[in-house]
Amino acid sequence: MDGLRVNADRLWDSLMELARIGGTPKGGVCRLTLTETDRQGRDTFIHWARDAGLAVRVDGIGNIFARREGADAAAAPVVIGSHLDSQPSGGKFDGAYGVMAGLEVVRTLNDARVTTRVPLEVAAWTNEEGSRYVPTMMGSGVFSGVYALDYALAQQDSDGISVRTALEAIGYAGDAKPHAVGAYFEAHIEQGPVLEATGTTIGVVQGALGQRWFDVVITGQDSHAGPTPMETRRDALLAASRLVLEVNRIATTSPDYARGTVGSMQVKPNSRNVVPGEARMTVDFRNAKDPTLIAMVDELKRRAAAIATECRVTIDLREVVYFAPSEFAPELVASVRSAAGALGYSHRDIVSGAAHDAVYLSRVAPTAMVFVPCKGGISHNEIESAKPEDVAAGCNVLLQAVLARAGT
Amino acid sequence: MDGLRVNADRLWDSLMELARIGGTPKGGVCRLTLTETDRQGRDTFIHWARDAGLAVRVDGIGNIFARREGADAAAAPVVIGSHLDSQPSGGKFDGAYGVMAGLEVVRTLNDARVTTRVPLEVAAWTNEEGSRYVPTMMGSGVFSGVYALDYALAQQDSDGISVRTALEAIGYAGDAKPHAVGAYFEAHIEQGPVLEATGTTIGVVQGALGQRWFDVVITGQDSHAGPTPMETRRDALLAASRLVLEVNRIATTSPDYARGTVGSMQVKPNSRNVVPGEARMTVDFRNAKDPTLIAMVDELKRRAAAIATECRVTIDLREVVYFAPSEFAPELVASVRSAAGALGYSHRDIVSGAAHDAVYLSRVAPTAMVFVPCKGGISHNEIESAKPEDVAAGCNVLLQAVLARAGT
């Protein structure tokens, strides 16, 4: 099977045809979960899957499983998947690539008349993006037992429409029960700049960074910019700015792929000649290792306490999100690496800075991911772009890694 | 005349009665310029001025001059004044105190049957606050030749109503021509914390800080907080935060009453898991000496250029306001100081961090100001507060300094 290659043109054409559903004038995609365009995307995928001889099931949260039988029908399947929904101003590749790559693996095996020992399933998970409904990664979260089905179905969008109602409206409220997964593979664009910047074709994903998110409220005292001497001020923005520098310093000096971001900042009263009495900001810390992530937060809290004293303000840090770091299955990660090497692609170990459906699947099955470069590292944007040869390379790696796991 | 004292109760009662016009439930005042409440405030002042035997004139921008003749009718008058308009959520003292103190000086001279050599005028300047119409200090600016009358009359509020229309609507479009001013005195609450914090009754105002205001736009590149390594980021908020610290450092380490404030900050896209690609902020630098103010700005520009390079962003600094520092007339400042000393009040030299009508008047006449403490240094706020004994003390200093200048 080592000589087997996917059909690069067919894979690219499928991606481009899918991108026409919800396609935007700027070349992006708007296919919000559980909308009419999402239904069209799902229908198209199912149409293609049935053409490839796959049996389609839909579960209670609308996850789609397209199954190709194996020699051992009782074995837990190897699942290959990602998501078909997009951001409001999304691109052609985020999510869609992983589903179409799974379909191309199956089509390639059909062409070569290969029967794997273990059954294969191509999965499309509901609402990965979280743009219309929170929480994100809803479908994979329900499948993996992170969220109860009823909880997910009860979530409402900004118009008050529940997930349950929206699923029924597009005809994707299924009845398939959760089932065992023998292994899970997901191909995805990197959504970051590392592969492109290093001229690397394949990212061998070790896992996903853990995340700890905070809301921070800094309270000082408004005062007039003119009459108030510097030494009597209680400037909330000055304290906030010092904290921004600490977040950056901690992330820059910590090991294990540490990242630290202040993405949001608001000050009050936000008037040019008034010393700000309040500043609200966020902190997003990420790390591949939980102990390092904890150490980063501890250091931030120590520095915040010192800044509060020195600036004579109060600083309230409230944790709003905690995802533990995910480490993918070493044997599957190794098979991705050796497939890339055998195929002659440049490759490097990488971690996923963002969460993916694979993060939740890794809780219930051995999991690995394959990254390919995207232009400028840009994603969640209509200009998101990837090269056909990279897209094909990632799919070839996926094919070989799946074959290694599923057996022939 | 050294034994002459103002009537503290009458002064306080006038202030409190005036504060009922546009009075707010929280004890503040909303008397926006050229509104019906402003008309009522003006009418009340004119009624009291005529009761005190003063002759009232109104000029083309609505400034009111209430004149008490002197022995030498041809001499340029000593003018005592401030403004009757308030911020939307203003207090009882900002502006009103200076006008009522001028009226109380005249009433006290009437009671004592004193005729000064030089005529006295109590002035109420139009639109000092700038809340409804910009520019601020419009009336004193027109009177002093800073703004052309037609320019000021053409300004519009947010409803498209011009100053000219609003003046005519309240009956205050007068025809008095500009006239010479022999000297100008203004009493005001400090609007800062220094007098209260040092237990001082009288601030002998040396002048007003110069101001240079900037709009700053910092442009980096949006990127995902997860997948983007720290070393590849172009974080606009990180650069902005470093600039906030520089503004503070420069102001803290510069002489001559240096102040530096970043009052406003906005980031884009302002999403907690996106590295900000843009930050907009303001800088407000103030100093008593123009060369020091210039040096502060030069230093800021040097540091901004270094930060732009280090953070790989662009930083655009655009100057939007420049007021030169004002130095008040030494002989008048000395008379305020000696009056405070002779009256036995604690006093200290101080500079005005904010601009006042006196800043513009100082361009056309020898000028001085008298500051009294306000509670917590708070102004432009409904909880603005001052003690009756301090209000009276400031008025007694004003009386003695005016008498020293006007002669008897």
Side-chain angles (χ1 to χ4, degrees), chain B residues 265-337:
Chain B
M265 169 86 78
Q266 284 100 26
V267 303
K268 282 187 185 173
N270 208 38
S271 169
R272 66 165 72 238
N273 56 353
V274 180
V275 178
E278 182 182 293
R280 289 172 181 264
M281 54 182 265
T282 57
V283 176
D284 173 333
F285 268 156
R286 305 195 187 198
N287 200 282
K289 303 285 184 191
D290 220 28
T292 313
L293 188 55
I294 290 167
M296 291 168 70
V297 172
D298 288 348
E299 172 71 359
L300 181 70
K301 287 180 174 171
R302 274 193 298 274
R303 290 304 305 150
I307 291 168
T309 302
E310 291 160 22
C311 295
R312 303 187 305 135
V313 300
T314 60
I315 300 182
D316 177 57
L317 277 122
R318 191 167 61 85
E319 184 155 5
V320 291
V321 163
Y322 171 55
F323 280 114
S326 305
E327 294 193 44
F328 290 157
E331 71 279 15
L332 295 200
V333 173
S335 77
V336 168
R337 189 184 297 111

Coordinates of all heavy atoms in Angstrom, one line a residue, chain B residues 265-337:
Chain B
M265 N -8.2 54.7 25.0 CA -7.6 53.5 24.3 C -8.7 52.6 23.7 O -9.6 52.3 24.4 CB -6.8 52.7 25.4 CG -6.3 51.4 24.9 SD -4.7 51.5 24.1 CE -3.6 51.6 25.5
Q266 N -8.5 52.3 22.4 CA -9.4 51.3 21.8 C -8.5 50.4 21.0 O -7.5 50.8 20.4 CB -10.3 52.0 20.8 CG -11.5 52.7 21.4 CD -11.3 54.2 21.4 OE1 -10.6 54.8 20.6 NE2 -12.0 54.8 22.4
V267 N -8.8 49.1 21.0 CA -8.1 48.1 20.3 C -9.0 47.4 19.3 O -10.2 47.3 19.5 CB -7.4 47.1 21.2 CG1 -6.4 47.8 22.1 CG2 -8.3 46.2 21.9
K268 N -8.5 46.9 18.2 CA -9.2 46.1 17.2 C -8.4 44.8 17.0 O -7.2 44.9 16.9 CB -9.3 46.9 15.9 CG -10.3 48.0 15.9 CD -10.4 48.6 14.5 CE -11.4 49.8 14.4 NZ -11.4 50.4 13.1
P269 N -9.2 43.7 16.7 CA -10.6 43.6 16.8 C -11.2 43.5 18.1 O -12.4 43.4 18.3 CB -10.9 42.4 16.0 CG -9.7 41.5 16.2 CD -8.5 42.5 16.3
N270 N -10.4 43.6 19.2 CA -10.9 43.6 20.6 C -11.6 42.3 20.9 O -12.7 42.3 21.5 CB -11.9 44.8 20.8 CG -11.9 45.2 22.3 OD1 -10.8 45.2 22.9 ND2 -13.1 45.6 22.8
S271 N -11.0 41.2 20.5 CA -11.5 39.9 20.7 C -10.5 39.1 21.6 O -9.3 39.2 21.3 CB -11.7 39.1 19.4 OG -12.0 37.8 19.6
R272 N -10.9 38.4 22.6 CA -10.0 37.9 23.6 C -9.0 36.9 23.1 O -7.9 36.8 23.7 CB -10.8 37.3 24.8 CG -11.5 36.1 24.4 CD -12.0 35.3 25.7 NE -13.0 36.0 26.5 CZ -12.9 36.4 27.7 NH1 -11.8 36.2 28.4 NH2 -13.9 36.9 28.4
N273 N -9.3 36.3 21.9 CA -8.3 35.3 21.4 C -7.7 35.7 20.1 O -7.3 34.9 19.3 CB -8.9 33.9 21.4 CG -10.2 33.8 20.6 OD1 -10.7 34.9 20.2 ND2 -10.7 32.6 20.3
V274 N -7.7 37.0 19.9 CA -7.0 37.5 18.7 C -6.0 38.6 19.1 O -6.3 39.5 19.9 CB -8.0 38.2 17.7 CG1 -7.3 38.7 16.5 CG2 -9.1 37.2 17.3
V275 N -4.7 38.4 18.6 CA -3.7 39.4 18.9 C -4.1 40.7 18.2 O -4.4 40.7 17.0 CB -2.3 38.9 18.3 CG1 -1.3 40.0 18.5 CG2 -1.9 37.6 19.0
P276 N -4.2 41.8 18.9 CA -4.7 43.1 18.3 C -3.9 43.6 17.2 O -2.7 43.7 17.4 CB -4.8 44.1 19.5 CG -4.8 43.2 20.7 CD -4.0 42.0 20.4
G277 N -4.5 43.9 16.1 CA -3.8 44.5 14.9 C -3.8 46.0 14.9 O -3.0 46.6 14.2
E278 N -4.6 46.6 15.8 CA -4.6 48.1 15.8 C -5.0 48.5 17.2 O -5.8 47.9 17.9 CB -5.7 48.6 14.8 CG -5.7 50.1 14.8 CD -6.8 50.6 13.8 OE1 -6.7 50.4 12.6 OE2 -7.8 51.2 14.3
A279 N -4.3 49.6 17.6 CA -4.6 50.3 18.9 C -4.7 51.8 18.6 O -3.8 52.3 17.9 CB -3.6 49.9 19.9
R280 N -5.7 52.4 19.1 CA -5.7 53.9 19.0 C -5.7 54.4 20.5 O -6.5 53.9 21.3 CB -7.0 54.3 18.3 CG -7.0 54.0 16.8 CD -8.4 54.3 16.2 NE -8.3 54.0 14.8 CZ -8.0 54.8 13.8 NH1 -7.9 56.1 14.1 NH2 -7.9 54.5 12.6
M281 N -4.9 55.4 20.7 CA -4.8 56.0 22.0 C -4.6 57.5 21.9 O -4.2 58.0 20.8 CB -3.8 55.3 22.9 CG -2.4 55.3 22.2 SD -1.1 54.4 23.2 CE -0.4 55.8 24.1
T282 N -4.8 58.2 23.0 CA -4.5 59.6 23.1 C -3.3 59.9 24.0 O -3.0 59.0 24.9 CB -5.7 60.4 23.6 OG1 -6.1 59.9 24.9 CG2 -6.9 60.2 22.7
V283 N -2.7 61.0 23.9 CA -1.6 61.4 24.8 C -1.9 62.9 25.1 O -2.2 63.7 24.2 CB -0.2 61.3 24.2 CG1 0.8 61.9 25.2 CG2 0.1 59.9 23.9
D284 N -2.0 63.2 26.4 CA -2.2 64.6 26.9 C -1.0 64.9 27.8 O -0.8 64.4 28.8 CB -3.5 64.6 27.7 CG -3.8 65.9 28.4 OD1 -2.8 66.7 28.8 OD2 -4.9 66.2 28.7
F285 N -0.1 65.8 27.2 CA 1.1 66.3 28.0 C 0.9 67.7 28.4 O 0.4 68.5 27.6 CB 2.3 66.3 27.0 CG 3.1 65.0 27.1 CD1 4.0 64.7 26.0 CD2 3.1 64.1 28.2 CE1 4.7 63.5 26.0 CE2 3.9 63.0 28.2 CZ 4.7 62.7 27.1
R286 N 1.2 68.0 29.6 CA 1.1 69.4 30.1 C 2.4 69.8 30.9 O 3.0 68.9 31.5 CB -0.1 69.5 31.1 CG -1.4 69.0 30.4 CD -2.6 69.4 31.1 NE -3.8 68.8 30.5 CZ -5.0 69.1 30.6 NH1 -5.4 70.2 31.4 NH2 -6.0 68.5 30.0
N287 N 2.7 71.0 30.8 CA 3.9 71.5 31.5 C 3.8 73.1 31.6 O 3.2 73.7 30.8 CB 5.2 71.2 30.8 CG 6.4 71.2 31.7 OD1 6.9 72.3 32.0 ND2 6.8 70.1 32.1
A288 N 4.4 73.6 32.7 CA 4.4 75.0 33.0 C 5.3 75.8 32.1 O 5.2 77.0 31.9 CB 4.7 75.3 34.4
K289 N 6.3 75.1 31.5 CA 7.4 75.7 30.7 C 7.3 75.1 29.3 O 7.5 73.9 29.1 CB 8.8 75.5 31.3 CG 8.9 76.0 32.8 CD 9.0 77.5 32.8 CE 9.2 77.9 34.3 NZ 9.1 79.4 34.5
D290 N 7.3 76.0 28.3 CA 7.2 75.5 26.9 C 8.5 74.7 26.5 O 8.3 73.7 25.9 CB 7.1 76.7 26.0 CG 6.1 76.4 24.9 OD1 5.2 75.5 25.1 OD2 6.2 76.9 23.8
P291 N 9.7 75.1 26.9 CA 10.8 74.2 26.5 C 10.7 72.8 27.1 O 11.1 71.9 26.4 CB 12.0 75.0 27.1 CG 11.6 76.4 27.2 CD 10.1 76.3 27.6
T292 N 10.3 72.7 28.3 CA 10.1 71.4 28.9 C 9.0 70.6 28.2 O 9.2 69.4 27.9 CB 9.8 71.5 30.4 OG1 10.7 72.4 31.0 CG2 10.0 70.1 31.1
L293 N 8.0 71.3 27.9 CA 6.9 70.6 27.1 C 7.4 70.1 25.8 O 7.1 68.9 25.4 CB 5.7 71.6 26.9 CG 4.4 71.1 26.4 CD1 3.8 70.0 27.2 CD2 3.4 72.3 26.3
I294 N 8.2 70.9 25.1 CA 8.7 70.5 23.8 C 9.7 69.3 24.0 O 9.6 68.3 23.3 CB 9.5 71.6 23.2 CG1 8.4 72.7 22.7 CG2 10.3 71.2 22.0 CD1 9.1 74.0 22.3
A295 N 10.5 69.3 25.1 CA 11.4 68.2 25.3 C 10.6 66.9 25.6 O 11.0 65.8 25.2 CB 12.3 68.6 26.5
M296 N 9.5 67.0 26.4 CA 8.7 65.8 26.6 C 8.2 65.2 25.4 O 8.2 64.0 25.2 CB 7.5 66.2 27.5 CG 7.9 66.6 29.0 SD 6.5 67.4 29.9 CE 5.4 66.0 30.1
V297 N 7.7 66.0 24.5 CA 7.2 65.5 23.2 C 8.3 64.9 22.4 O 8.1 63.8 21.8 CB 6.5 66.6 22.4 CG1 6.1 66.2 21.0 CG2 5.2 67.1 23.2
D298 N 9.5 65.6 22.3 CA 10.6 65.0 21.6 C 11.0 63.6 22.1 O 11.2 62.7 21.3 CB 11.8 65.9 21.7 CG 11.6 67.2 20.8 OD1 10.6 67.2 20.1 OD2 12.4 68.1 21.0
E299 N 11.0 63.5 23.4 CA 11.3 62.2 24.0 C 10.3 61.2 23.7 O 10.6 60.0 23.4 CB 11.5 62.4 25.6 CG 11.6 61.1 26.4 CD 13.0 60.5 26.2 OE1 13.8 61.0 25.4 OE2 13.2 59.4 26.8
L300 N 9.0 61.6 23.7 CA 8.0 60.6 23.4 C 8.1 60.1 21.9 O 8.0 58.9 21.7 CB 6.6 61.3 23.5 CG 5.4 60.4 23.2 CD1 5.2 59.3 24.3 CD2 4.1 61.2 23.1
K301 N 8.4 61.0 21.0 CA 8.6 60.6 19.6 C 9.8 59.7 19.5 O 9.7 58.7 18.7 CB 8.8 61.9 18.8 CG 7.5 62.7 18.6 CD 7.6 63.9 17.7 CE 6.3 64.6 17.5 NZ 6.4 65.9 16.8
R302 N 10.9 60.0 20.2 CA 12.0 59.0 20.1 C 11.6 57.6 20.6 O 12.0 56.6 20.0 CB 13.2 59.6 21.0 CG 14.1 60.5 20.2 CD 15.4 60.8 21.0 NE 15.2 61.4 22.3 CZ 15.0 62.7 22.5 NH1 15.1 63.6 21.5 NH2 14.8 63.2 23.7
R303 N 10.9 57.6 21.7 CA 10.6 56.3 22.3 C 9.5 55.6 21.4 O 9.6 54.4 21.3 CB 10.0 56.5 23.7 CG 11.1 56.9 24.7 CD 12.2 56.0 24.8 NE 11.8 54.6 25.0 CZ 12.4 53.5 24.6 NH1 13.5 53.6 23.8 NH2 11.9 52.3 24.8
A304 N 8.6 56.3 20.8 CA 7.6 55.7 19.9 C 8.3 55.1 18.7 O 8.0 54.0 18.3 CB 6.6 56.8 19.5
A305 N 9.4 55.8 18.2 CA 10.1 55.2 17.1 C 10.8 53.9 17.4 O 10.8 52.9 16.7 CB 11.1 56.2 16.5
A306 N 11.4 53.9 18.6 CA 12.1 52.7 19.1 C 11.1 51.5 19.3 O 11.3 50.4 19.0 CB 12.8 53.0 20.4
I307 N 9.9 51.9 19.9 CA 8.9 50.8 20.2 C 8.4 50.3 18.9 O 8.2 49.1 18.7 CB 7.8 51.4 21.1 CG1 8.3 51.7 22.5 CG2 6.6 50.5 21.1 CD1 7.4 52.5 23.3
A308 N 8.2 51.2 17.9 CA 7.7 50.7 16.6 C 8.6 49.7 16.0 O 8.2 48.6 15.5 CB 7.5 51.9 15.7
T309 N 9.9 50.0 16.1 CA 10.9 49.0 15.5 C 10.9 47.7 16.3 O 10.8 46.6 15.7 CB 12.3 49.7 15.6 OG1 12.3 50.9 14.8 CG2 13.4 48.7 15.0
E310 N 10.9 47.8 17.6 CA 11.0 46.6 18.4 C 9.8 45.7 18.3 O 9.9 44.5 18.4 CB 11.3 47.0 19.9 CG 12.7 47.6 20.1 CD 12.9 48.4 21.4 OE1 12.1 48.3 22.3 OE2 13.8 49.3 21.4
C311 N 8.6 46.4 18.2 CA 7.4 45.6 18.2 C 6.9 45.3 16.7 O 5.9 44.7 16.5 CB 6.2 46.3 18.9 SG 6.5 46.4 20.7
R312 N 7.7 45.8 15.8 CA 7.4 45.6 14.3 C 6.0 46.1 14.0 O 5.1 45.4 13.4 CB 7.6 44.2 13.9 CG 9.0 43.7 14.2 CD 9.3 42.3 13.7 NE 8.4 41.4 14.2 CZ 7.8 40.4 13.5 NH1 8.0 40.3 12.2 NH2 6.9 39.6 14.0
V313 N 5.7 47.3 14.5 CA 4.4 48.0 14.2 C 4.7 49.4 13.6 O 5.9 49.8 13.7 CB 3.5 48.1 15.4 CG1 3.2 46.7 16.0 CG2 4.2 49.0 16.5
T314 N 3.7 50.1 13.1 CA 3.9 51.5 12.8 C 3.1 52.3 13.9 O 2.1 51.9 14.4 CB 3.3 51.9 11.4 OG1 1.9 51.6 11.4 CG2 4.0 51.1 10.3
I315 N 3.7 53.4 14.2 CA 3.1 54.3 15.2 C 3.0 55.7 14.6 O 4.0 56.3 14.3 CB 3.9 54.4 16.5 CG1 4.0 53.0 17.1 CG2 3.3 55.3 17.5 CD1 4.8 52.9 18.5
D316 N 1.7 56.2 14.5 CA 1.5 57.5 13.9 C 1.0 58.4 15.0 O 0.0 58.2 15.6 CB 0.4 57.3 12.8 CG 0.0 58.7 12.2 OD1 0.9 59.4 11.7 OD2 -1.2 59.1 12.3
L317 N 1.8 59.5 15.3 CA 1.4 60.5 16.3 C 1.0 61.7 15.6 O 1.8 62.3 14.8 CB 2.7 60.8 17.1 CG 3.0 59.9 18.3 CD1 4.4 59.4 18.1 CD2 2.9 60.6 19.6
R318 N -0.2 62.2 15.9 CA -0.7 63.4 15.2 C -1.1 64.4 16.3 O -1.9 64.1 17.2 CB -1.9 63.0 14.3 CG -2.3 64.2 13.4 CD -3.3 63.7 12.4 NE -4.5 63.1 12.9 CZ -5.6 63.8 13.3 NH1 -5.6 65.1 13.1 NH2 -6.6 63.3 13.8
E319 N -0.5 65.6 16.3 CA -0.9 66.6 17.3 C -2.2 67.2 17.0 O -2.5 67.6 15.9 CB 0.2 67.7 17.3 CG 0.0 68.7 18.4 CD 1.3 69.3 18.9 OE1 2.4 69.1 18.2 OE2 1.3 70.1 19.8
V320 N -3.1 67.3 18.0 CA -4.4 67.8 17.7 C -4.7 69.1 18.5 O -5.6 69.8 18.2 CB -5.5 66.7 18.0 CG1 -5.5 65.6 17.0 CG2 -5.4 66.1 19.4
V321 N -4.0 69.3 19.6 CA -4.2 70.5 20.4 C -2.9 71.0 20.9 O -2.0 70.2 21.3 CB -5.1 70.3 21.6 CG1 -5.0 71.4 22.6 CG2 -6.6 70.1 21.1
Y322 N -2.6 72.3 20.8 CA -1.5 72.9 21.4 C -1.9 74.3 22.0 O -2.3 75.2 21.4 CB -0.3 73.2 20.4 CG 0.8 74.0 21.0 CD1 1.4 73.6 22.1 CD2 1.2 75.2 20.3 CE1 2.4 74.4 22.7 CE2 2.2 75.9 20.9 CZ 2.9 75.5 22.0 OH 3.9 76.3 22.6
F323 N -1.8 74.3 23.4 CA -2.0 75.5 24.1 C -0.6 75.8 24.7 O -0.1 75.0 25.5 CB -2.9 75.4 25.3 CG -4.4 75.4 25.0 CD1 -5.1 74.3 25.2 CD2 -5.0 76.6 24.6 CE1 -6.5 74.3 25.0 CE2 -6.4 76.6 24.4 CZ -7.1 75.4 24.5
A324 N -0.1 77.0 24.5 CA 1.1 77.4 25.1 C 0.9 77.6 26.6 O -0.2 78.0 27.0 CB 1.7 78.7 24.5
P325 N 1.9 77.4 27.5 CA 1.7 77.7 28.9 C 1.4 79.2 29.1 O 1.9 80.0 28.3 CB 3.1 77.3 29.5 CG 3.8 76.4 28.5 CD 3.2 76.8 27.2
S326 N 0.6 79.5 30.1 CA 0.3 80.9 30.4 C 1.1 81.3 31.7 O 0.9 80.5 32.7 CB -1.2 81.1 30.7 OG -1.9 80.6 29.6
E327 N 1.7 82.4 31.7 CA 2.3 82.9 33.0 C 1.5 84.2 33.3 O 1.4 85.1 32.5 CB 3.8 83.2 32.8 CG 4.5 81.9 32.6 CD 6.0 82.1 32.7 OE1 6.5 82.7 33.7 OE2 6.8 81.6 31.9
F328 N 0.9 84.1 34.5 CA 0.1 85.3 34.9 C 1.0 86.5 35.3 O 2.2 86.3 35.4 CB -0.8 84.9 36.1 CG -1.9 83.9 35.6 CD1 -2.6 83.1 36.5 CD2 -2.4 83.9 34.3 CE1 -3.6 82.3 36.1 CE2 -3.4 83.0 33.9 CZ -4.0 82.2 34.8
A329 N 0.4 87.7 35.4 CA 1.1 88.9 35.6 C 1.8 88.9 37.0 O 1.0 88.8 38.0 CB 0.2 90.1 35.5
P330 N 3.1 89.0 37.1 CA 3.8 88.9 38.4 C 3.2 89.8 39.5 O 3.1 89.5 40.6 CB 5.2 89.1 38.1 CG 5.3 88.8 36.6 CD 4.0 89.1 36.0
E331 N 2.9 91.1 39.1 CA 2.5 92.0 40.1 C 1.1 91.7 40.6 O 0.9 91.9 41.8 CB 2.5 93.5 39.5 CG 1.5 93.8 38.5 CD 1.8 93.4 37.1 OE1 2.7 92.5 36.9 OE2 1.1 93.8 36.1
L332 N 0.2 91.1 39.8 CA -1.1 90.7 40.3 C -1.0 89.4 41.1 O -1.7 89.3 42.1 CB -2.0 90.5 39.1 CG -2.4 91.7 38.3 CD1 -3.7 91.3 37.5 CD2 -2.6 92.9 39.1
V333 N -0.1 88.5 40.7 CA 0.1 87.3 41.5 C 0.6 87.6 42.8 O 0.2 87.1 43.9 CB 1.1 86.3 40.7 CG1 1.4 85.1 41.6 CG2 0.4 85.9 39.4
A334 N 1.6 88.6 42.9 CA 2.1 89.0 44.1 C 1.0 89.7 45.0 O 1.0 89.5 46.3 CB 3.3 90.0 43.9
S335 N 0.1 90.4 44.4 CA -1.0 91.0 45.2 C -1.9 90.0 45.8 O -2.4 90.1 46.9 CB -1.7 92.1 44.4 OG -2.6 91.5 43.5
V336 N -2.1 88.9 45.0 CA -3.0 87.8 45.6 C -2.2 87.2 46.8 O -2.8 86.9 47.8 CB -3.2 86.8 44.5 CG1 -3.8 85.5 45.1 CG2 -4.2 87.3 43.4
R337 N -0.9 86.9 46.6 CA -0.2 86.3 47.7 C -0.1 87.2 48.9 O -0.4 86.7 50.1 CB 1.3 86.0 47.2 CG 2.1 85.2 48.2 CD 3.5 85.0 47.7 NE 3.7 84.3 46.5 CZ 4.1 84.9 45.3 NH1 4.4 86.1 45.3 NH2 4.2 84.1 44.2

